[in-house]
Amino acid sequence: MNTKTLKTLEYYKIIDELKNYAYSTGGKELCEGLFPFTDLTVIRKAQTETSDALSRLLQNGSISFTGLKDVRPSLLRADINSSLSPVELLNISRLLDIATKIKQYSRKQSSNNNDAIEFFKDSLSERFDVVEPLTPLNTEIKRCIISEEEISDDASPKLKDIRRHIRLANDRIHTELNSIINSQAVRSCLQDNLITMRNGRYCIPVKAEHRSSVQGMIHDQSKAGSTLFIEPLAIVKLNNEIRELELSEAKEIEVILAKLTAEVSDYTTVIKDNYEILTELDFIFAKAHLSKNHKCSEPIFNTDGIIDIKKARHPLIPAKNVVPTDIRLGKDFDLLVITGPNTGGKTVCLKTTGLLTLMGQAGLHIPAFDNSQLAVFNNVFADIGDEQSIEQSLSTFSSHMTNIVKILNEVDNRSLVLFDELGAGTDPIEGAALATSVLDYLHKKGIRTMATTHYSELKVYALSTEGVSNACCEFDVETLRPTYRLLIGIPGKSNAFAISQKLGLPMHIIDASKELISAKDKDFEDLLADLEESRITIEKEQEQISRYKQEIEILKEKLEAKHTRLDEKQAAILEKAREEAFNIVKEAKDLADSTIRNINKAGLAVKDLENERTKLRKGMDALQSKKVVAKATAKKEYTAADFKLGTAVKILSLNMEGSVCSLPNAKGDLYVQMGILRSQVNIKDLDIIPDKDDPSTNDKAGNIGKIKVSKSMSVSTELNLIGMTTDEALVHLEKYLDDAYLSHLPQARIVHGKGTGALRNVVHQALKRSKYVKSYRLGVYGEGENGVTIVEFK
């Protein structure tokens, strides 16, 4: 892959970011050595590994490779029986710790796979399976080595014994020295009343003038020469003993390290494989972290030269500023000419296409929507200004002809070529002709090419040449801001006149400039303006159609939901009716069977009984037939004026009788009282029960209905049960609950007093059983507290 292109398209900045996600030095080195592949099989393998690592990352969280060091040099030394240092052994121990975590992480992934615990596999499974934690070796290293500078006393019994003797010798020396420095003869000779060490020997600081007063060996003196550090003769032997013990300790430590090194040498191949696998996993999970943080997806690769990137985002532009855009090349056209004003996003489109191609071929996910397509190219060439930097929002458009010549010499039909401002920097006429010739040469060879330009000649070339398409980066003339949307199939305008007018350039200068343009160029610019206007109109109509489609879908969903609810309600009603019918039949059968048994006991003839039962069944069938006929007969049409309070009616749909307790509203709906039930019914579903012949009876019935309505309207919101027995209170309470519910009281107050609590318990039990009660609670301060219960009805 062309190294200059990698730098131009800022591929190395992506690699630098990738390195930040790797924990180990080896992982960072693999990131640094990552370059785009050209083999489709290798690319797909690398992409699959990144996707599988991302899946594990999202499902099980991050995994750390912190502390992973390159132990291969230490393993080479172990193979030749050279003792390893504590630092080297601890590095191996840390590597095995990470291997253990990797194993646990892998098992966590498998156990989360529900039924497929033993069968979960992905492209990383083999690496996880090969890792060997070597737990016994790791445990032995940790047992013997506490830190990089300390070996454990328990590393060997001999070491423990030596250190015990060293502690005892130190204690004896301190005891002896304390007695010396506290003696009357020596105290006045000391510079300081303390014990110090010089050259690994215990000493005391003696004033120089009292040198002869303290017998011993001089090991050091102060810079001024006023203090001598003397080892008293009384402790020379003890110091020598400690020195000998320290030499024995060092020798035993060498034995321990040699033993550990020998154990490591038995597993050098396994440890080396562990290191390489863990380094690879660190590298692969770094790619997954990059994908996660940039919200990337795995692209689909092809060898047909087709690029179809959906909502592509340049990864180096901050997420809050980047504008996603669709980029297509290679299917309907192999050459795309992008035009438009400066700072409109043309160069960003070029860099985005090239950088995402490089990232994809390197096994990295790309910041775009799912199912985006990329082609596999042997090389990517880019002629973009050296000073171009998207991150600094700078843009230069200088072309280097030497670079173009080099590209034309190396390019083949599996190359992607990106030109920024092709032909600029020279005479416009010659530059346009040169740019047209270069692009035509690449187009005839079938090479995938994208080029940005301001030349109208290139727009005409794209319009008149098959397999070549225009494109533009949309620019809002009203706000003088680019939208950064790439519009394929539409040539762009430089909008120089419009921008100049917005910025305040006098109109007479603009008009004079327009007169200098040829009629042919004017017609072409007018055509572009018409195309742009048509595009905007079509987009608005498409948006409106899309909104209509969404509204239709919403209405369709609501209608389907309504039908579903009606079907469920109908099914529930039918089920309830079947249950009631079954209960009635069962009750009738039980009664009949019981009656037969009683008659048999009385000695009546079964035959006579069966005859009576047959007559009764015929009579019931006849009544049922009359009911059906009556129901089928067309009922009389009534108006709202026909219904008064207390009018006796029959609800046809329910086959129940009741009395009217409210006048019809504008829609013909009124309330009918049927025993304890009160239901809203339309007058179309009602049939007035004929009055009796006696007018007085009719008046009496009407009065009774009115009394019922009046009674239900006058129920008190409070019931006082104080002074009643529990049985009396229960009767009054049940009657009161019926009346209160029929009166549609939202809330009631039951007064039962505090007392022993028996009355309160009975009330609460009854409320708990009642189907009218939504909730109840004891009163609070100001309501009667524990002496009352507040009831809320359904």
Side-chain angles (χ1 to χ4, degrees):
M1 195 65 68
N2 189 289
T3 54
K4 184 179 183 301
T5 298
L6 298 179
K7 182 178 179 181
T8 301
L9 296 178
E10 300 174 295
Y11 173 80
Y12 294 114
K13 290 185 178 181
I14 299 298
I15 296 301
D16 289 339
E17 183 178 353
L18 178 64
K19 287 164 60 178
N20 294 332
Y21 296 115
Y23 292 90
S24 65
T25 303
K28 292 181 184 294
E29 290 175 353
L30 289 177
C31 293
E32 195 170 355
L34 178 63
F35 290 97
F37 306 106
T38 56
D39 188 304
L40 180 60
T41 304
V42 176
I43 293 172
R44 286 176 175 168
K45 180 176 181 291
Q47 286 287 345
T48 302
E49 290 174 349
T50 306
S51 297
D52 291 340
L54 179 61
S55 297
R56 291 177 181 260
L57 197 65
L58 295 175
Q59 185 171 355
N60 298 321
S62 301
I63 180 170
S64 174
F65 295 86
T66 304
L68 181 61
K69 300 289 182 65
D70 189 356
V71 298
R72 289 175 294 185
S74 300
L75 298 177
L76 291 175
R77 293 182 58 223
D79 283 336
I80 60 175
N81 297 323
S82 177
S83 294
L84 302 181
S85 67
V87 174
E88 292 175 304
L89 290 169
L90 286 177
N91 286 338
I92 293 174
S93 176
R94 293 190 190 100
L95 184 149
L96 297 178
D97 284 340
I98 296 172
T100 302
K101 292 179 182 177
I102 286 291
K103 277 293 188 182
Q104 294 172 349
Y105 187 84
S106 176
R107 286 194 290 267
K108 181 180 178 183
Q109 168 74 17
S110 297
S111 63
N112 287 340
N113 201 33
N114 298 328
D115 298 334
I117 292 177
E118 299 296 331
F119 308 100
F120 179 83
K121 295 291 181 183
D122 62 15
S123 62
L124 304 180
S125 297
E126 185 177 353
R127 289 184 174 89
F128 282 102
D129 294 340
V130 171
V131 170
E132 287 293 340
L134 299 178
T135 304
L137 174 61
N138 190 15
T139 303
E140 182 65 14
I141 294 175
K142 290 183 176 180
R143 186 184 69 83
C144 296
I145 304 177
I146 296 176
S147 67
E148 296 179 355
E149 300 175 353
E150 184 178 2
I151 304 298
S152 172
D153 292 349
D154 297 326
S156 73
K158 186 176 180 180
L159 180 63
K160 188 173 185 179
D161 185 63
I162 292 172
R163 287 182 173 175
R164 183 176 62 83
H165 283 88
I166 291 175
R167 287 192 293 271
L168 292 174
N170 281 324
D171 291 341
R172 290 199 301 272
I173 288 177
H174 279 83
T175 301
E176 186 67 28
L177 287 175
N178 283 328
S179 65
I180 292 173
I181 63 177
N182 291 324
S183 65
Q184 293 293 336
V186 178
R187 184 181 301 171
S188 59
C189 302
L190 297 178
Q191 190 76 21
D192 291 302
N193 191 17
L194 55 82
I195 300 171
T196 184
M197 291 194 74
R198 288 294 186 274
N199 300 323
R201 315 280 291 188
Y202 285 100
C203 303
I204 57 176
V206 179
K207 296 176 182 178
E209 60 269 23
H210 295 290
R211 162 70 185 87
S212 59
S213 301
V214 179
Q215 298 297 316
M217 299 174 61
I218 299 174
H219 287 281
D220 199 3
Q221 68 176 5
S222 64
K223 290 183 179 180
S226 60
T227 303
L228 300 176
F229 296 94
I230 299 175
E231 179 185 3
L233 290 176
I235 67 166
V236 170
K237 183 178 180 181
L238 290 174
N239 267 330
N240 290 337
E241 182 182 344
I242 288 178
R243 185 61 181 161
E244 291 175 359
L245 289 171
E246 288 176 346
L247 292 174
S248 299
E249 179 189 26
K251 185 177 180 181
E252 181 61 20
I253 288 175
E254 285 296 328
V255 172
I256 294 169
L257 294 178
K259 179 183 176 184
L260 291 175
T261 301
E263 293 187 28
V264 169
S265 65
D266 293 336
Y267 300 101
T268 52
T269 303
V270 176
I271 297 173
K272 180 182 178 183
D273 292 342
N274 279 350
Y275 171 75
E276 293 175 351
I277 291 172
L278 293 177
T279 302
E280 290 177 4
L281 288 175
D282 186 20
F283 164 65
I284 294 171
F285 274 90
K287 295 194 296 180
H289 276 289
L290 181 70
S291 175
K292 177 184 176 184
N293 288 351
H294 282 284
K295 299 179 181 178
C296 299
S297 65
E298 179 183 351
I300 301 172
F301 277 90
N302 63 81
T303 55
D304 301 324
I306 297 175
I307 296 176
D308 185 5
I309 311 176
K310 303 172 183 178
K311 303 302 178 185
R313 293 171 279 115
H314 197 289
L316 297 179
I317 300 179
K320 62 181 180 180
N321 298 330
V322 68
V323 177
T325 187
D326 296 330
I327 302 173
R328 290 183 286 112
L329 180 68
K331 186 176 182 180
D332 300 322
F333 49 88
D334 54 38
L335 173 58
L336 186 64
V337 178
I338 306 175
T339 52
N342 292 344
T343 70
K346 302 189 302 296
T347 307
V348 174
C349 288
L350 287 184
K351 283 196 167 186
T352 301
T353 305
L355 182 56
L356 266 57
T357 297
L358 296 176
M359 289 177 62
Q361 291 190 209
L364 301 175
H365 287 176
I366 62 173
F369 276 12
D370 291 339
N371 298 320
S372 293
Q373 292 189 59
L374 289 177
V376 179
F377 296 106
N378 289 336
N379 227 323
V380 177
F381 299 97
D383 180 44
I384 300 174
D386 293 335
E387 300 301 320
Q388 177 82 10
S389 177
I390 291 176
E391 288 174 303
Q392 299 177 12
S393 299
L394 300 175
S395 189
T396 60
F397 305 96
S398 60
S399 300
H400 305 98
M401 188 52 61
T402 53
N403 191 30
I404 295 176
V405 171
K406 185 178 180 181
I407 291 174
L408 295 179
N409 289 334
E410 297 180 6
V411 76
D412 58 24
N413 60 355
R414 290 196 61 189
S415 299
L416 173 64
V417 182
L418 307 172
F419 289 125
D420 188 26
E421 298 297 340
L422 179 62
T426 185
D427 179 77
I429 296 176
E430 294 180 354
L434 189 61
T436 303
S437 298
V438 170
L439 294 179
D440 189 59
Y441 169 77
L442 295 173
H443 171 56
K444 288 178 179 178
K445 295 187 68 174
I447 297 170
R448 304 298 185 261
T449 308
M450 292 178 65
T452 66
T453 184
H454 286 289
Y455 294 138
S456 296
E457 291 84 349
L458 291 181
K459 303 176 189 177
V460 175
Y461 170 74
L463 288 172
S464 59
T465 307
E466 186 178 357
V468 183
S469 178
N470 273 303
C472 69
C473 287
E474 190 178 43
F475 190 86
D476 190 341
V477 180
E478 295 297 325
T479 61
L480 298 182
R481 292 178 179 273
T483 65
Y484 301 106
R485 292 177 57 204
L486 181 65
L487 306 176
I488 296 177
I490 301 174
K493 293 181 62 179
S494 295
N495 294 305
F497 294 149
I499 294 173
S500 300
Q501 182 179 349
K502 283 285 184 180
L503 294 176
L505 189 68
M507 280 302 300
H508 65 274
I509 296 178
I510 296 175
D511 292 338
S513 302
K514 291 181 178 179
E515 291 177 359
L516 297 176
I517 300 177
S518 65
K520 181 178 179 182
D521 292 334
K522 284 183 180 179
D523 293 339
F524 184 71
E525 290 297 322
D526 291 340
L527 174 62
L528 294 182
D530 292 341
L531 288 173
E532 179 69 10
E533 186 177 351
S534 299
R535 180 189 65 79
I536 295 174
T537 303
I538 291 172
E539 285 188 354
K540 289 181 179 179
E541 291 177 351
Q542 288 178 341
E543 290 178 0
Q544 190 174 15
I545 292 171
S546 178
R547 286 197 303 270
Y548 289 157
K549 286 183 177 179
Q550 291 178 356
E551 292 175 0
I552 291 171
E553 288 295 325
I554 293 172
L555 292 174
K556 182 181 178 182
E557 291 176 0
K558 288 183 177 179
L559 183 60
E560 290 177 351
K562 185 176 180 180
H563 285 166
T564 301
R565 288 196 302 270
L566 289 175
D567 292 342
E568 292 175 352
K569 189 174 181 181
Q570 182 182 13
I573 292 173
L574 291 173
E575 182 64 24
K576 184 178 179 181
R578 291 190 190 99
E579 290 180 359
E580 292 178 352
F582 176 78
N583 292 334
I584 292 172
V585 171
K586 185 175 182 300
E587 183 179 352
K589 181 179 180 300
D590 293 341
L591 179 61
D593 292 340
S594 176
T595 304
I596 290 173
R597 285 194 297 270
N598 293 335
I599 292 174
N600 286 336
K601 289 180 181 179
L604 295 178
V606 175
K607 184 176 181 181
D608 295 337
L609 178 62
E610 289 297 329
N611 292 333
E612 292 297 324
R613 287 181 63 184
T614 301
K615 291 179 181 179
L616 179 60
R617 187 179 298 109
K618 289 181 179 179
M620 291 176 64
D621 292 343
L623 289 174
Q624 185 64 27
S625 300
K626 290 180 180 179
K627 278 188 177 182
V628 173
V629 172
K631 187 173 181 180
T633 305
K635 76 177 188 70
K636 178 182 177 182
E637 295 292 333
Y638 295 100
T639 63
D642 296 329
F643 297 91
K644 309 294 182 183
L645 290 177
T647 302
V649 294
K650 180 178 181 180
I651 302 177
L652 300 177
S653 60
L654 300 177
N655 196 27
M656 296 180 66
E657 296 181 358
S659 59
V660 176
C661 59
S662 71
L663 296 178
N665 58 18
K667 295 181 180 180
D669 296 330
L670 53 79
Y671 282 95
V672 176
Q673 193 75 42
M674 300 165 286
I676 64 171
L677 296 179
R678 184 172 184 263
S679 178
Q680 186 181 37
V681 188
N682 193 275
I683 60 176
K684 294 180 181 178
D685 194 29
L686 295 178
D687 191 11
I688 298 177
I689 299 175
D691 296 337
K692 302 294 183 179
D693 294 333
D694 188 359
S696 61
T697 305
N698 184 33
D699 292 340
K700 185 177 181 181
N703 291 336
I704 290 173
K706 292 178 181 178
I707 291 172
K708 287 181 180 179
V709 174
S710 175
K711 178 180 179 182
S712 65
M713 296 297 181
S714 62
V715 175
S716 173
T717 58
E718 179 179 303
L719 175 64
N720 192 340
L721 303 176
I722 294 177
M724 300 182 185
T725 65
T726 54
D727 292 335
E728 293 172 344
L730 189 59
V731 173
H732 282 77
L733 176 62
E734 290 178 349
K735 183 177 182 304
Y736 174 78
L737 292 176
D738 289 339
D739 294 338
Y741 180 76
L742 292 176
S743 299
H744 299 282
L745 292 182
Q747 185 174 292
R749 182 169 179 265
I750 311 298
V751 181
H752 45 65
K754 299 180 180 178
T756 62
L759 201 56
R760 180 179 64 244
N761 293 336
V762 170
V763 170
H764 285 186
Q765 290 175 2
L767 294 176
K768 187 175 182 180
R769 293 192 305 269
S770 177
K771 59 184 178 180
Y772 309 140
V773 176
K774 180 180 180 182
S775 64
Y776 62 91
R777 61 177 175 81
L778 290 174
V780 297
Y781 180 77
E783 293 178 332
E785 301 181 3
N786 294 341
V788 302
T789 295
I790 306 301
V791 182
E792 183 179 358
F793 293 95
K794 295 181 179 177

